[in-house]
Amino acid sequence: MHYLSKTVNAIRIAFFILLISTVTQAQDPVPQTPTTVPGQTTPTPSTGAPVSNSQAVEFYNQAKQSGMSDMDIEKAALQRGYTLDDISAMRKRLEQTSKDNTKNDPNRDQLDETREQDDLDELEEETNNERDTTAAGRARLRRLDRTFGSSFFRGTSTTFEPNLRIPTPRNYILGPDDELVVDIYGNSVDNFRMKISPEGTVKMLNLAPVYVNGLTIEQASERIINRLRQAYSTLNRPGSGTYSTITLGNVRSIRVMIAGEVVRPGTYTVSSLSTAFNALYVSGGPGRNGSYRNIDIIRNNKVIRQIDLYRFLIDADLRDNIALQDQDIILIRPYETRLELTGEVKKSGIFEAKAGETVKDILKYAGGFTPEAFTQLIQYQRNTGNNFIIGSIDSAQVNTFIPKNGDIYNVKRILEVVANQVEVRGAVTRPGIYPLDERTKTVKELITISQGISPRAFLNRALLERSSGDTQTGLVAIDLRKLMNNEIPDITLLPGDILTIKSVEDLKEFTFLSVKGSVINPGEYYYYKDITIADLIFQAGGYTEGGIPYRIEVSRRVKNDTTGLPSDQNVRIFTLDVADNLTLNEQDQKFTLYPYDIVLVRKSPRYETQKTVTIFGQVTYPGTYTILNNFEKISDLFPKAGGMRKEAYIEGARFYRNRELVALDLKAIIEKPSIPANLLLADGDTIYIPKKSEMVRIQGGVYNPSLVNYDPGFNFHEYISQAGGFAERARKNRVYVSYPNGRTHRTSKFLFFRSYPKVQPGSTVTVPLKEPKLEQPMSRGERLAIISLFTTLAIALIRIL
């Protein structure tokens, strides 16, 4: 029979609404802890503020503590006018709350914080209590989640609440507050519910009570049916046509005490269907000193079961997950033996050992070795009571070695060495590492498995690098040609041997040729035997535009042949002609290049890229023009541009080279082209001819720096007056005028006379400023010295008078 959860939810919800109506009329709108005693007379239902799910749970708990049953709550709610729609709406909210609580236990975060704080405290205590570096290092190396089994109680998404939607267990023991549902069907139909009274009886119809306390469902059903036969004489008799089933309805709550080394000890109210694991999970499980393997369930002052959580964690054995009864005590005793397992095991951490268990059992709890574990020897560290000692156990002792409290076992990793490898390097088809096996036992077999020697291999000598058994490495020289021709015996390989076969090129200095000048890809190229100039130019991509195939120069180092060479000359120079199609004449075909030759390809003497200049502004044809020859000057550019327009201001023309303004008087250049200022044109030169400007800028040491209009009738001082006159710190003798063409004229002085530069349209008049003098106040010592001096002078003067 499934547990009637919907009926129970409806009863709870009715009671919640009942309490809500009382609280909302008696208290402020702000939710407070209710002071109404459940079960007392309550006002007529009224619509109040919405009630949260947490408030509903709180109201229900207070009602249960006051002694009201769920049936009483339902009756009280219906008597006060609550409809089934109200109950249905609240039922949905309660079902959603139940789902949320199943997914996330509201107390789990607090429990996890408590456990984590315990772990942190333990680490701090272990580090601070021991001054020696060994104990402090052990404490620092441990992780917070290191005790095997602690993560089982740490997760917030796991729950072990009892499943109330299961058939009633046939061995379930009935007690007060359990509800029985009697269903009569067939020729007679009836259905009613009975709650077991505190005296352990149930009463039905007008019949005498039946004592069912302490009985199972089957035993209670037999007694109840016997009593019902007083009203239904043929009930459940063969062929009678009247039958009855008795199932468990609402279950009672029981109290269980959890004590000892537990995260949160205390008394817990749980469902009568709860098991030992349910209660342990609610309490947070064993604390930092609690045993996972010595947990007692005490009933009537007797230990009825001793729980070993490792049986469940390792083998999923649920034999210890027994059903709890009212007033049961779960006692978590302190651990006796804990040891730490680190290194190459599948789950490292701290494990608890029972009496008689060996290291093999602990390795089983850790999931065994990893594939990289060195299983032949396990090192351990043990506390003797006075200091620490280290030891080791081999693979044969693992089955019998008994661990002690505080031991630390370390499983090391195997060496990163391949025990049966040999290697071949250099001039073979497939160099690399090969296994030393039946197919590769000798040097010839190693060469064969690497698919033979390359054609360019140096056969006079090969080297076999071999470890001599200590820290030294020895070399074995091999005449490879004789070995391959079976003229000398083959050499047996040993593990770790390295065979090196060099090529002919490996034994020579790197040789190259250089090509420079008018080729597409100048640079250095590998030297090959019988390579010609045409071959080298081909490798360099051919001639560039402007490159000529004749007068190609080859410079060569002098090595041995110095015939006909002066004593002060160390190179030879050769001049050759190569056609555009890279063909050589008969004589030059006999000329071959030597290593380190430098080949220079000349450029045509009259080949030159076009050079251009730009003129823009107030000319007839502004634009870019090509320089015809190397003697063209600035004055030659103006006729090409068609001359200047009427509005052109030649005095303000600007000349730029490499984007920098060059101060030139272009008017003087046009009027007299023979002056030195008439420069030769260069690629990228630019000339700008502006319109005449009617403004003059005055800046610097004047009272009102400004832009004023140009007036040919004004002299220099009148322009300064336009800007408010000279300022106090103006340097009148350093005034200068900058003209639009980039030139600058400064004030000149002869005896007591100043000559100021002429102001032209577009000029900028700059009046420099004097640097301000920083007057520092006298220090106290200086003032006392002056006063002392004047006092001395006054006394001397008085004496003289």
Side-chain angles (χ1 to χ4, degrees), residues 90-316:
M90 286 297 294
R91 181 188 296 118
K92 293 180 180 179
R93 294 180 57 191
L94 186 60
E95 289 177 353
Q96 184 62 38
T97 303
S98 178
K99 292 179 181 179
D100 294 341
N101 290 339
T102 300
K103 293 179 181 178
N104 192 0
D105 188 350
N107 295 324
R108 296 309 304 174
D109 293 339
Q110 180 181 358
L111 292 176
D112 292 341
E113 291 176 2
T114 302
R115 187 182 296 275
E116 290 176 3
Q117 187 60 44
D118 288 344
D119 291 337
L120 289 171
D121 293 341
E122 182 181 5
L123 283 175
E124 184 176 1
E125 289 175 6
E126 291 179 354
T127 305
N128 294 335
N129 289 343
E130 298 291 344
R131 294 186 178 181
D132 60 282
T133 57
T134 303
R138 289 175 58 206
R140 285 193 298 270
L141 289 174
R142 293 183 181 179
R143 299 173 297 173
L144 289 179
D145 187 16
R146 63 197 185 282
T147 302
F148 179 70
S150 62
S151 60
F152 177 75
F153 297 97
R154 190 185 298 274
T156 58
S157 61
T158 307
T159 178
F160 270 87
E161 295 179 357
N163 186 3
L164 302 180
R165 296 181 177 272
I166 61 174
T168 303
R170 307 313 299 175
N171 59 349
Y172 178 78
I173 305 299
L174 297 174
D177 283 342
D178 277 340
E179 184 184 51
L180 296 176
V181 180
V182 179
D183 190 10
I184 300 175
Y185 57 92
N187 295 334
S188 299
V189 178
D190 201 353
N191 179 274
F192 50 87
R193 294 172 176 266
M194 305 176 297
K195 177 167 288 189
I196 300 176
S197 68
E199 292 77 18
T201 63
V202 292
K203 192 174 183 305
M204 66 203 95
L205 303 178
N206 294 323
L207 303 176
V210 179
Y211 186 81
V212 295
N213 184 41
L215 301 180
T216 64
I217 289 291
E218 293 180 350
Q219 295 169 343
S221 298
E222 186 177 351
R223 287 193 182 185
I224 293 172
I225 289 174
N226 287 336
R227 186 59 51 88
L228 285 173
R229 283 175 180 164
Q230 295 179 8
Y232 304 94
S233 58
T234 61
L235 184 64
N236 279 7
R237 295 187 185 278
S240 63
T242 303
Y243 303 96
S244 175
T245 58
I246 300 174
T247 57
L248 183 66
N250 187 20
V251 297
R252 69 185 185 278
S253 297
I254 61 174
R255 285 184 174 271
V256 177
M257 180 178 294
I258 305 178
E261 297 294 335
V262 64
V263 172
R264 192 172 66 178
T267 302
Y268 292 85
T269 301
V270 296
S271 168
S272 58
L273 293 176
S274 296
T275 63
F277 287 1
N278 302 145
L280 285 173
Y281 183 82
V282 172
S283 66
R288 66 177 183 179
N289 294 323
S291 172
Y292 286 78
R293 314 197 63 185
N294 191 9
I295 303 174
D296 293 339
I297 298 181
I298 302 173
R299 183 176 298 164
N300 297 327
N301 295 327
K302 293 182 180 180
V303 178
I304 65 168
R305 174 76 69 169
Q306 189 175 69
I307 297 177
D308 184 353
L309 285 175
Y310 278 23
R311 282 200 289 260
F312 171 72
L313 297 174
I314 301 299
D315 300 322

Side-chain angles (χ1 to χ4, degrees), residues 366 425 437 444 497 540 604 676 686 696 721 796:
R425 298 174 180 175
D437 54 16
K444 288 184 65 176
D497 281 356
S604 174
T686 302
V696 174
S721 299

Side-chain angles (χ1 to χ4, degrees), residues 581-606:
N581 58 2
L582 299 180
T583 58
L584 299 174
N585 57 39
E586 183 177 355
Q587 181 179 358
D588 291 340
Q589 285 179 353
K590 301 178 181 178
F591 182 85
T592 57
L593 295 173
Y594 283 13
Y596 309 110
D597 280 356
I598 298 177
V599 179
L600 300 175
V601 179
R602 306 296 182 188
K603 186 175 68 172
S604 174
R606 299 197 63 179

Side-chain angles (χ1 to χ4, degrees), residues 573-631:
I573 304 297
F574 304 92
T575 303
L576 298 94
D577 293 341
V578 181
D580 290 338
N581 58 2
L582 299 180
T583 58
L584 299 174
N585 57 39
E586 183 177 355
Q587 181 179 358
D588 291 340
Q589 285 179 353
K590 301 178 181 178
F591 182 85
T592 57
L593 295 173
Y594 283 13
Y596 309 110
D597 280 356
I598 298 177
V599 179
L600 300 175
V601 179
R602 306 296 182 188
K603 186 175 68 172
S604 174
R606 299 197 63 179
Y607 178 82
E608 193 174 68
T609 58
Q610 298 91 330
K611 299 176 182 178
T612 60
V613 294
T614 302
I615 183 170
F616 63 101
Q618 304 304 314
V619 292
T620 304
Y621 302 107
T624 299
Y625 295 88
T626 301
I627 300 175
L628 294 178
N629 54 58
N630 295 329
F631 304 100

Side-chain angles (χ1 to χ4, degrees), residues 456-475:
R456 299 291 294 171
F458 181 73
L459 301 179
N460 292 340
R461 190 178 187 87
L463 292 179
L464 183 64
E465 186 177 344
R466 171 171 291 174
S467 175
S468 60
D470 50 18
T471 58
Q472 299 297 323
T473 300
L475 295 177

